[in-house]
Amino acid sequence: MTIRTEPWRTTAGGERPLAVPRHWDLIGAPTGRLLMDLASAREALAAGRNSESAQISTRLLALLPGRRAAAVAAADADGTQQVDVIHACVLTVLGRAIEAAEPDQAQVRFAAAVAIFDRLVAGGAELKPAELVDHGTALARLDRLDEAFEAVVTALEALAAVPVDTIIRIVLTLRERHDLARAERLLQLAIDVEEDDPRLAQRLAETRLLDDRPEQAAAAYVRAGTHFGAGGQPGEALHCFEQAIGLSHDPVDAMMGRSFALADLAGPQVALEAIESVRDSHPELEVARAFQAQLLADLGRVEEALALLDSGLTMSPVDPVLMAARVRVLVTTGRRAEALDTVDEALVAWPGDVELRRLRARILRQSGRSAEALGVLQELLAEEVADLDDRVEMILTMVDLGRPVTALAETDHALLFTPDSADLLACRSMILLRLDRFRDALDAATRAVGLDHDHVMALSAQAQALLRLDRHDEARKPLGELLRLVPDSPEIRHTLGGLLLDGARYDDAEQLAVEGLRIHPGEPSLLLLQGKVRVLVGRFQDAVVVLERAERGLAKAGGPAAAVTDVQAHLGEALRRLGRDREALVHLDRALEAGPDNAFALGTKGQVLRASDKVEAERHLRRALELDSTLNWAHTELGELLRAEGRLAEALESYTAATDLAPQDAWAWGCRGATEYTLTRDDEAAASLARAIDLNDTYAWAWAVKGALLMDQDELADCLLALGRAVQLDPTIGWAWTIRGWAEELLGMREDARRSFRSALAAGGGGAWAEIGMADLLLQDGMPAQAEQRFRTILKAMSPRDALELAQAGWCHLRLDECRQAARNFGEALLLDDSMHSVRFDLALALLGTGPVERAVEAYEEAVTRLREVPSPGRRRAVLRIAAHDLPTVLTQPAYRETDQRSLTVLQRLLQPDGSAEPNGAGR
Amino acid sequence: MPWSMLQGRVEALRLNLERARDLSVRELALDHVPLEEGVWDAAFDAIRSDSVSRLWELEQLSTGIDRSPHPLHQRVAWQKLAAIQEQSEDIFRECLELMGGLTFRERDLDNQICTFADELINECARSVGRMLTTIAIPAHNGGRHAGARHIAHVQFPEWDVWTLPLVTFEYGQVAITDRPEIDAFARKSAIDVHHGLGADQDVIEERIRALLSDAFATYTLGPAYACALMLLRLDFVAPDPDCREFVAQRVAMVRGILARIADGDVADLHDKLGKHWDQALHLVLGTDPGAADPLERLALDPATVFDTFNWFFLPQAAYAVDDWDTAVQWGSRWCKELRDPKLSPAVPAVAPINRLRDALNASWYARIHEPAWVTEGADVTRELCQQIIDIRGRTRRPPGVELPGAIRPDP
């Protein structure tokens, strides 16, 4: 016999069956897990997260048949019954979750649930309160109201919370049947359990009114109105209070409530009129006096408010309500010391008064005495008289005291009891921000905002978290909301303005600053925002004006170092753009003194230094990029610096970083294209320049570089078009005119070429090449004397220092028939830059003028051989075209007159396009 | 056992030659000496090839000793071994010199003078065409085949800028051989002289090539070479009249080339240099020119040599008046600064167009006019050389494409 053993059930000591939990199912999860999931589904439903609840329920429903089958197979009657109960409850929860979207499907679920419940009850099963609630709910949905009533009442008597809509559904049916007694009983029971839900009190009031008991109805309306008001529904509250006023003989509470509601709905002035009418009829009401004083203070009539309270205090010197009101008014006006004296005085008379102690704690915190404030709040908590606001205050006080971890623990503890408190969630978010847990902070803030769209702290935390997560676009929304809620906050305006600037919404940002400055004239942060906008839109002089105002404002107020740095850095930038480099440096140095690691200031200083000290400029730019690698303009600037130094590979790296960061930056693409062109990476250069022109088709320099590239690619017609566009956009780009002149000369358009060279010289940027072009045309036109004079003038003005200038000098000597000197210049140019293929042909041409012809032919052959190394066919064609053009052009010169035809034929064959210079040497 | 002793010697030599043959630059792990592969091959291939030849001869000898049906006589075998051994000593010396020199450079014991020498040779090589350059190593005396093997020697202990021009002489031997027309000219000149003198043609050709190398060095480097050679190197009181005459011929060649370059200040320097030389010669030797050199009439016309060079080397190879202008400008400024106690000689501003030969000529110009310009001059010249190397090739700009204005965010 083979005994099958299961290795996971054995131990070293031998085979031993493991203890299996009683409700262990086939899949391996205990029933407790099902109950937990059911609780989660109920919780989601209670929080209004219906789809989440439906998802959980659906998942549970899929698991239940298997589990039931397992229980049946194990002959586990209790287990089977428990699964059935869970099944019925899940069906009810699911029905409620989908009720709004799929009412028919919901009815099916309720019917199925009731069927199971009925079977269980008939089988003698005793349902627990929560199960009774589900049973009653399902029955109510099927209009089996008597049974539903019984089930729900039993549940309420066991203090189980019943969904308010279930209660209301039963109550409405009972009212239709004129069974007002049972309706009132049900509502009273429900209010005992869910005392804060104003809808129950409202239905109670209506029921009592039907029962013709107006005074009691009015009391219920007042209760409903109070809860509506406390729950942030002043409109509903006002309706209830007005109902109560209409029903009661002495509706003082309702009138008070109406005043409160009006304060929220219509502002302090309307509320003041309402409360004054209350006080007219009930002058003894100190609560009304206190509220009136508060409204006066809100309207800026502080002294009247204090006089009103003082007159009340004359009659009742230690009335805690009046004293608390006095304290609030004083706090509103910033008179904290006086407020603290008042509250301390009141506490002598009323040492245990919670409101006074609460006020004391807040004043202490506002006065920077957070440790004392925390002590007071902890006492309130220990005495179990603290409310949620006190708890929030205590948490914020802990944060003030630099104890964010303790504050977080306290917040999480509080959230266990009130998971849907927007205040607590906002607190949690703010604390998490302090702890650099930005993603968690964002989650908490988003939940808080979901619960209360106008929660300032939550919106602020959400915005900050998004900013710290570099999700700037998304941060704009909460900041916009904040601005709506707190329109006079300069900080919010400044932050939002910064985000608008990031999004290139300059007009909106300026508008924001202007509006803010109307509220706070001279506010440095708003002036800074305005200055930044003006720098970005190119209004540099205007920028200097506002930034200097900001600078003065900060100096006067002793503003924070970060603000000083920002203002000074932007002043530096504005002055740099005005060409006032020396002044710019002064401000940039000040910026760096206040904030040595400010990347913007470092980068801008690097830009300024480029003109005077390249080493320092590079150091500053590199440091700026170390600190903030996202400064695309600094990458471009560094690229330009490196390109000017001939460090092309490094320059290209910088430009690539810039274009990666800012793909819409035409300037960076243009510089990148120019560098790629210089590195003879023609395809890449063409793509980059096309991108630059695509982004900004008035970018003259990019058009000009494109023209140069096309010239080098032997695309002369397109070259003329590109250069034409360049000089049309900016006629001062002299070298573009010069290249255009060459292209025209090569195409035989001598008159156009002459005009182009002349324009180049007029533009002042044509350099020696334009002069040489003009002199060359004179020689071609048969005016050797004038040409010689011109060439001599060029040489006289020239002191060749690099390969390019040597090549220019070489060409002048060649055209002056000084071929040996020309050859020497070309040779020296090649020593400095071996990649100048055209110059190698010039050298060969010069050697042809010095003899022997064999050496010249050898030099031409070498030039052609080296040209084969050039991968671009276009570039090879262009060089050959120029060489082929030059050879017959110089033949009229004395030095070349003896060149024999046979040699010329050899050379002409060498210079055939797509022949000898092809890499495979097809033409040779 | 005399027979086995011979075998033992053969075996020992074989092992040594194999070691020389298998020598690799990788063993040196050079990090700081920029050694082109082609240069190493050119420098070492001859050593390797000689080693292989000697090994082959050794193998023949070994066969002759114990595997031939007619074994060699013992005395003959010993004589053959001695001959191979003697030839092998040259190989071992060259190996040691090359490896030692490179190691010396790697450790920077030469104070970077070989780096300058490399650069000077490189400049020269590029100016005459695309020829393989030569690696400079410190040594006491140049090897016999140094030039042909692309090795130039910086003489120990003259490790300063004053003798630096002399490395061009060794590169000259390479350049002359590499340019077929000039190589042919050297050979033809040797044949012509041989016909006239009847001396050993190899000796004559060796001298002709040395004189051409002097001409080449003067042609490409200008007065700096002439000064270094005549004032610091040539031994005009050599006891051997043969040598003395050769010295005179070298001086004549150098002065002849200088005279062709001569124009303005170069002529002035040429005269000054000649005067120094003649005076020294007169003071030391009096009127006794010593015994006659059998090769005294070895005549090579500097003018012909100059024209030949002009014809076959590219124009930028030649030292020219423009170059001398730069030397005079820098050199006179140093002289002025030396004469003024308030000033100290400074490195002038350099441009990419400047070459090391400009620095060396300027320095020699200053030294000829201000003999105190030795130690300080060497330091300033070194600094100037370094700046020239640094600036070389740093900037390359495409014609016309200037930078855009420093503007942002968009042009």
Side-chain angles (χ1 to χ4, degrees), chain B residues 260-327:
Chain B
R260 288 303 302 266
I261 301 172
D263 187 13
D265 280 340
V266 181
D268 174 50
L269 187 92
H270 170 252
D271 294 344
K272 271 202 170 72
L273 198 57
K275 215 152 97 188
H276 279 301
W277 179 261
D278 294 338
Q279 270 176 2
L281 217 57
H282 180 74
L283 284 171
V284 175
L285 302 177
T287 49
D288 176 18
D293 175 10
L295 296 181
E296 185 182 5
R297 286 183 293 117
L298 189 155
L300 202 56
D301 177 22
T304 311
V305 172
F306 188 85
D307 290 341
T308 307
F309 284 177
N310 254 357
W311 200 247
F312 293 110
F313 287 129
L314 291 174
Q316 70 268 23
Y319 189 81
V321 177
D322 292 351
D323 303 313
W324 184 244
D325 286 346
T326 305

Side-chain angles (χ1 to χ4, degrees), chain A residues 577 607 735 820 824 831-832, chain B residues 126 310 318 323 352 400 408:
Chain A
R577 303 289 285 273
Q607 285 186 301
W735 57 265
R820 182 163 177 79
R824 186 175 159 78
L831 283 181
L832 291 175
Chain B
R126 291 179 63 213
N310 254 357
D323 303 313
R408 70 172 194 255

Side-chain angles (χ1 to χ4, degrees), chain A residues 561 564-565 568 586-598 601:
Chain A
V564 172
T565 305
Q568 295 290 355
V586 170
H587 288 286
L588 290 168
D589 283 339
R590 281 183 200 157
L592 291 170
E593 199 178 309
D597 288 337
N598 184 286

